[in-house]
Amino acid sequence: ITLIIFTLLLNFSNQIFIIQALPTIQTNKPTYKAGESLTVFGTATPNTLISVQLFDPNGRRVAVAQAEADREGEWETTNIYTFSGLDPSGTWIIKAYQDGWAETKIQVDVTPPILNLALEPEKTTFKAETITLTLTSNEKLSKVTITVTQPNMEPQPIPVTSINQTKWIGTYTIKTQHEGESTIQVYVEDLAGNPAKMEKKFMVDTTPPKVTITEIPAKTEDATITIRGTVSEPLPQVKLLIPGLPPLTIPVDKEKLTWGTEITLTTTGHNIIKAIVQDEAGNLGEDSKVVFYVGPLEIIKTEMGAIRESINMISNLVMVAVILSIVAAVFSIVAVVTIVRRIVLK
């Protein structure tokens, strides 16, 4: 009888201390990408069955699984669903039932991020300068790697700074000894781990173009003169700087690599004429020549000076003539007196 009573009391105590507990539910990560499988675990009443259901962002149930809690109340079900690129991205809900519902949410992202890379200055050919690279994404990124490769160089990693995980900024200084086509390569991963790649090409040109003034007078009395020259590469134009005039833009014959124009000088004296060219990268080339413009006033001054010299010369000649006339007259008088005295003495 004592044994029976003890057994009944033991069973009764077990019924008292086995408390029904609502399940808890967890996942091993908060965000999933395509190709990853979902594992769910949690706690529940020991030795009970737990029903697990998975719902996509549209509320459609896509997976059902069952787990059993051990005597410690812990349970787990693995690989209940493998996400694919056809699944909708967004918030998914996992529900667990055992005498009541529990749920948790996960994020599913099966699409790679969309990237855009901008360079500052905005151009495709660069000289010896520093470029600012700005990478933007349509979603937050967990990993960003950017490298730049110039000709005959190993890829150079670019340190980048995150602005808000969707915008990343870095700088790169052009290496002057490595001209030619260069490549920027970008590799990123979003928060789910979806990878994305892109690359951007640009040219490096650190050699300045050459411009030469080949034809210009050293001195001119005519205000209108002709200037001609050459360039070393097919540039669009040459800029001329002339004293007293606004800058002039002269088109270049890209086949012959020549240029020319007529200009009208406005400043007398020495005029420094400068020809300046700029290539696509921003490199500058320059040549200059000096032309001396006499001008109308200078001509008048020169002629007046010549006239004054002529007048002075004439005056001097007149004076010499007068003096010679006087001398001749004196000699004539002396000769007459001499003749008269000889006659008287006879």
Side-chain angles (χ1 to χ4, degrees), residues 7 11 16 53 63 76 100 122 135 142 161 164 175 190 211 227 230 234 236 242 259 263 278 283-284 290 316 321 325:
T7 302
N11 290 335
I16 292 175
Q53 302 181 36
E76 180 182 47
E122 294 183 16
L135 178 70
S142 61
T161 301
N164 54 11
K175 307 301 185 290
D190 60 19
V211 58
I227 301 177
T230 60
I242 304 159
W259 56 274
I263 62 170
Q278 180 174 341
N283 299 297
L284 295 175
V290 177
N316 292 334
S325 299

Side-chain angles (χ1 to χ4, degrees), residues 74-143:
E74 296 181 353
W75 62 271
E76 180 182 47
T77 178
T78 60
N79 302 325
I80 68 171
Y81 186 75
T82 299
F83 299 100
S84 74
L86 300 178
D87 288 321
S89 297
T91 302
W92 290 54
I93 297 176
I94 308 167
K95 295 182 178 182
Y97 181 81
Q98 187 268 310
D99 292 333
W101 288 99
E103 69 176 51
T104 189
K105 296 178 181 179
I106 59 171
Q107 295 296 317
V108 175
D109 182 358
V110 298
T111 58
I114 300 173
L115 305 176
N116 180 67
L117 179 63
L119 305 183
E120 178 63 35
E122 294 183 16
K123 52 184 181 179
T124 57
T125 304
F126 293 87
K127 57 180 181 177
E129 58 189 313
T130 298
I131 306 173
T132 298
L133 303 88
T134 302
L135 178 70
T136 55
S137 170
N138 66 327
E139 58 180 297
K140 291 184 177 181
L141 304 175
S142 61
K143 181 179 181 179

Side-chain angles (χ1 to χ4, degrees), residues 31-48:
T31 307
Y32 292 81
K33 64 179 179 179
E36 292 186 325
S37 297
L38 177 64
T39 293
V40 182
F41 58 93
T43 61
T45 302
N47 303 315
T48 57

Side-chain angles (χ1 to χ4, degrees), residues 25-342:
I25 184 169
Q26 299 181 62
T27 59
N28 56 350
K29 56 186 295 188
T31 307
Y32 292 81
K33 64 179 179 179
E36 292 186 325
S37 297
L38 177 64
T39 293
V40 182
F41 58 93
T43 61
T45 302
N47 303 315
T48 57
L49 294 176
I50 298 92
S51 173
V52 180
Q53 302 181 36
L54 174 65
F55 297 86
D56 69 12
N58 301 318
R60 183 175 64 92
R61 188 173 64 187
V62 297
V64 175
Q66 191 174 70
E68 182 176 1
D70 60 20
R71 64 180 183 176
E72 302 296 330
E74 296 181 353
W75 62 271
E76 180 182 47
T77 178
T78 60
N79 302 325
I80 68 171
Y81 186 75
T82 299
F83 299 100
S84 74
L86 300 178
D87 288 321
S89 297
T91 302
W92 290 54
I93 297 176
I94 308 167
K95 295 182 178 182
Y97 181 81
Q98 187 268 310
D99 292 333
W101 288 99
E103 69 176 51
T104 189
K105 296 178 181 179
I106 59 171
Q107 295 296 317
V108 175
D109 182 358
V110 298
T111 58
I114 300 173
L115 305 176
N116 180 67
L117 179 63
L119 305 183
E120 178 63 35
E122 294 183 16
K123 52 184 181 179
T124 57
T125 304
F126 293 87
K127 57 180 181 177
E129 58 189 313
T130 298
I131 306 173
T132 298
L133 303 88
T134 302
L135 178 70
T136 55
S137 170
N138 66 327
E139 58 180 297
K140 291 184 177 181
L141 304 175
S142 61
K143 181 179 181 179
V144 174
T145 301
I146 300 178
T147 60
V148 177
T149 305
Q150 289 184 232
N152 303 314
M153 277 183 56
E154 293 295 322
Q156 303 293 305
I158 307 302
V160 291
T161 301
S162 172
I163 303 302
N164 54 11
Q165 287 191 281
T166 61
K167 185 176 182 180
W168 302 70
I169 295 178
T171 59
Y172 176 73
T173 300
I174 296 294
K175 307 301 185 290
T176 58
Q177 301 302 317
H178 301 272
E179 295 185 289
E181 186 178 69
S182 304
T183 305
I184 303 172
Q185 292 182 317
V186 178
Y187 174 84
V188 304
E189 292 180 3
D190 60 19
L191 299 183
N194 296 298
K197 297 179 181 180
M198 71 170 299
E199 69 175 30
K200 199 179 193 77
K201 302 283 187 180
F202 66 94
M203 295 295 296
V204 172
D205 179 5
T206 60
T207 303
K210 292 182 180 180
V211 58
T212 305
I213 300 175
T214 58
E215 180 182 330
I216 189 172
K219 183 178 181 180
T220 179
E221 296 179 358
D222 190 348
T224 301
I225 62 173
T226 297
I227 301 177
R228 291 189 177 90
T230 60
V231 292
S232 60
E233 54 188 273
L235 303 167
Q237 61 191 27
V238 174
K239 182 168 71 173
L240 282 182
L241 300 182
I242 304 159
L245 295 177
L248 300 178
T249 300
I250 313 303
V252 171
D253 186 328
K254 294 185 179 181
E255 293 184 358
K256 299 180 180 179
L257 301 181
T258 58
W259 56 274
T261 188
E262 284 189 349
I263 62 170
T264 300
L265 300 172
T266 60
T267 303
T268 57
H270 290 88
N271 288 263
I272 300 176
I273 311 298
K274 286 186 178 181
I276 301 173
V277 291
Q278 180 174 341
D279 61 19
E280 188 178 357
N283 299 297
L284 295 175
E286 180 180 316
D287 189 23
S288 62
K289 292 289 189 295
V290 177
V291 55
F292 187 85
Y293 175 36
V294 177
L297 291 178
E298 295 295 329
I299 294 174
I300 293 173
K301 288 180 181 178
T302 302
E303 291 180 351
M304 290 297 293
I307 292 172
R308 279 196 296 269
E309 290 180 1
S310 298
I311 291 174
N312 291 334
M313 184 179 296
I314 292 172
S315 298
N316 292 334
L317 292 174
V318 169
M319 290 180 66
V320 169
V322 170
I323 292 172
L324 291 175
S325 299
I326 293 172
V327 171
V330 170
F331 277 109
S332 298
I333 292 172
V334 171
V336 171
V337 170
T338 301
I339 295 170
V340 170
R341 291 176 68 180
R342 288 178 179 177

